[in-house]
Amino acid sequence: MHALGFWLWSFLAAPEPVPERLVAQAPEVIVDYMLDSLSEVPDAFPTAVRAEYVAKLGAPDTVHAICEQYRAAAGLDYQHDEADRGKRRIQCRVLALWSHAGPVASWYEPLEVWRAWADQVDGRPIAAGHFLPEEAPDETTRQLLAFLT
């Protein structure tokens, strides 16, 4: 189940040009599947918003940059995290928000994960899918404002 819950991470981190070429062939398929499978709010992404996502995923340079971000997370970023583990800590306050029913809530204790890296961690699950600002804008805003004030 872990692989299915995080399919996007491994797919986009695959070596160039595999994900870039596949996404370029049908960006609308990727967008619709991603938005529909990761969202709990059916109308969170109206047609115009979906079209904008498709347009961005239709731009080769944009898709390449997205894939490079995922490749870095799987490689260089991971190596940096491992080098810092137990030696360096995040010095500022951290706010962690996550979906109440997604893989993060099911598989992890998010606050404990972040407390391994930072001394001051606040946060909670939000009643939404993966896209907190789009699916639960009022609650996300409340949490951010409370954290920032």
Side-chain angles (χ1 to χ4, degrees):
M1 286 307 276
H2 194 269
L4 294 177
F6 288 107
W7 67 271
L8 192 61
W9 286 79
S10 55
F11 170 66
L12 293 175
E16 184 181 2
V18 174
E20 287 93 338
R21 301 241 343 244
L22 293 172
V23 170
Q25 293 303 307
E28 66 284 348
V29 172
I30 297 291
V31 167
D32 286 342
Y33 182 77
M34 179 183 64
L35 297 181
D36 293 342
S37 68
L38 298 176
S39 176
E40 288 188 358
V41 179
D43 298 330
F45 298 95
T47 303
V49 172
R50 286 172 183 266
E52 196 60 33
Y53 272 102
V54 170
K56 297 302 184 250
L57 283 182
D61 289 345
T62 300
V63 175
H64 178 68
I66 291 167
C67 291
E68 286 297 309
Q69 175 191 356
Y70 280 85
R71 289 177 187 124
L76 184 62
D77 293 350
Y78 177 78
Q79 293 167 6
H80 288 171
D81 286 350
E82 287 305 303
D84 289 344
R85 188 179 303 280
K87 297 178 187 126
R88 295 181 56 177
R89 297 189 57 75
I90 298 169
Q91 299 298 309
C92 64
R93 289 175 55 221
V94 172
L95 175 65
L97 302 174
W98 62 93
S99 167
H100 71 121
V104 171
S106 300
W107 299 336
Y108 304 103
E109 294 292 335
L111 294 179
E112 294 309 311
V113 170
W114 281 105
R115 286 181 180 134
W117 290 97
D119 295 326
Q120 295 179 303
V121 179
D122 296 308
R124 62 183 294 279
I126 301 284
H130 178 76
F131 306 98
L132 304 182
E134 292 86 353
E135 296 180 64
D138 294 339
E139 181 60 20
T140 303
T141 299
R142 263 193 298 285
Q143 293 298 320
L144 286 169
L145 290 175
F147 178 76
L148 296 171
T149 57

